[in-house]
Amino acid sequence: MGDVVQVEKAGEIIPVIVGVNLALRPEAAVPYRFPAACPACGTAVVGAGEAAAVRCPHADCPAQVRRRLEHFASKAGVDIHGLGPAWVEALVAHGLVRTPADFYRLQRADLLALGKDTGPVSDRLLAAIERSREAELWRFIHGLGIPRIGETGARRLAGRFASLEALAGAAPDEWAEADLGPTAVAALAGYFGTPANRALVVELQAAGIRPRVDAAPGAGPLAGKVFVLTGSLPAWTRAQAAEKIRAAGGVVREAVSGRTDYVVAGKGAGEKLAEARRLGVPVLDEAGLRALLGESPAP
Ligand SMILES: [Zn+2]
């Protein structure tokens, strides 16, 4: 404890320590000892010794239950406006919610009984929960919090499967068809191999969710065309450009290959642009993409 370290972003937002500045180490520094038991539930932790992380193996650990619910409701998940950590904590503490499916069974009287407001806040929350029933399928998939499945993986799975049940019941080679690597496929097998997780999918369906499925590939002016985006575009973010391409029936991939139809390159494009040139893949700028989409030029 007390070291000065250098960190960088890894994955989405989790910082990774890439080095210790030993010159700045205080003389009183002592080695950090991971806790042997989960601070939230007291279960003995696993993973000590191998990775720089330990985890609590107790599936009903209250801290994990809350975190899973927060993630499901968050912007990265089904995006239930107003349902933050404070609501989650109150709902869990009163035994009203244990899994995401429970959100969809909440009644006005349940929320009023928590004494958090006289009605308007609860009504807004119930309306937000109601709207989230029709969130896009990828949001439900991402919201489950399956290890190794980020937003990109969730979108790919949503493009390949029509429902959560179809996803949960699929064979590993079908998951791999969604353009996922072996670690992601193994993570899916681990997740859907757990009875409680299969039960959650059934419960969500029974609670009346109606996930919206992305436009089927094969429809739209860019049907089946494979795009890779790189660099920063003048007017659109890459996420916006990807959204437009998908809406037009196109597919957005991470890596350039012989099956790529177009690379859309902006400022700062590097390796992917070089690869496109090497393979002879047509390269577009944002104006070219807009033209392809039949959109008017950027203002
Ligand atoms: Zn725990």
Side-chain angles (χ1 to χ4, degrees):
M1 278 181 266
D3 266 331
V4 173
V5 298
Q6 190 190 348
V7 298
E8 63 181 34
K9 268 193 334 185
E12 284 171 27
I13 48 164
I14 303 165
V16 148
I17 296 173
V18 292
V20 178
N21 189 333
L22 292 175
L24 293 179
R25 173 170 283 178
E27 281 186 22
V30 290
Y32 178 76
R33 303 183 85 87
F34 278 109
C38 170
C41 71
T43 306
V45 299
V46 296
E50 48 182 67
V54 294
R55 60 181 188 83
C56 169
H58 181 28
D60 293 322
C61 171
Q64 294 185 50
V65 167
R66 286 198 300 271
R67 189 64 199 98
R68 280 198 294 266
L69 292 167
E70 285 169 23
H71 172 74
F72 180 86
S74 75
K75 274 202 169 69
V78 300
D79 197 11
I80 304 176
H81 289 276
L83 214 170
W87 271 110
V88 168
E89 184 162 4
L91 292 169
V92 171
H94 286 78
L96 290 169
V97 171
R98 192 181 58 83
T99 77
D102 297 326
F103 287 139
Y104 297 105
R105 301 191 191 104
L106 286 172
Q107 302 292 319
R108 192 167 189 268
D110 296 333
L111 297 186
L112 290 180
L114 298 179
K116 284 169 76 84
D117 80 301
T118 56
V121 177
S122 297
D123 287 340
R124 275 201 297 278
L125 185 64
L126 287 172
I129 292 173
E130 199 53 38
R131 276 196 301 278
S132 79
R133 286 180 194 272
E134 298 189 14
E136 297 101 316
L137 178 59
W138 73 263
R139 292 186 169 278
F140 282 95
I141 297 172
H142 195 222
L144 292 177
I146 305 166
R148 301 283 185 169
I149 303 295
E151 184 182 321
T152 305
R155 283 180 182 276
R156 286 180 186 166
L157 290 165
R160 170 71 180 74
F161 296 95
S163 67
L164 283 181
E165 296 102 313
L167 171 67
D173 56 331
E174 294 177 282
W175 291 326
E177 280 170 22
D179 202 24
L180 296 182
T183 45
V185 170
L188 283 165
Y191 184 85
F192 289 119
T194 304
N197 296 334
R198 294 286 287 266
L200 172 58
V201 169
V202 173
E203 266 188 74
L204 277 168
Q205 211 58 50
I209 60 161
R210 299 180 295 276
R212 271 192 287 135
V213 181
D214 299 356
L222 302 184
K225 296 289 182 205
V226 178
F227 288 75
V228 173
L229 303 169
T230 179
S232 44
L233 304 176
W236 285 337
T237 64
R238 279 213 295 275
Q240 285 170 328
E243 203 67 53
K244 301 264 186 192
I245 291 168
R246 288 193 197 96
V251 178
V252 179
R253 294 254 192 276
E254 287 300 309
V256 180
S257 76
R259 288 183 300 162
T260 308
D261 292 296
Y262 297 99
V263 167
V264 181
K267 223 172 131 201
E271 200 43 53
K272 291 176 186 175
L273 178 57
E275 184 68 3
R277 298 221 159 105
R278 205 178 63 75
L279 293 170
V281 175
V283 176
L284 301 173
D285 58 6
E286 184 183 306
L289 175 60
R290 283 176 187 267
L292 212 54
L293 288 163
E295 296 226 0
S296 46

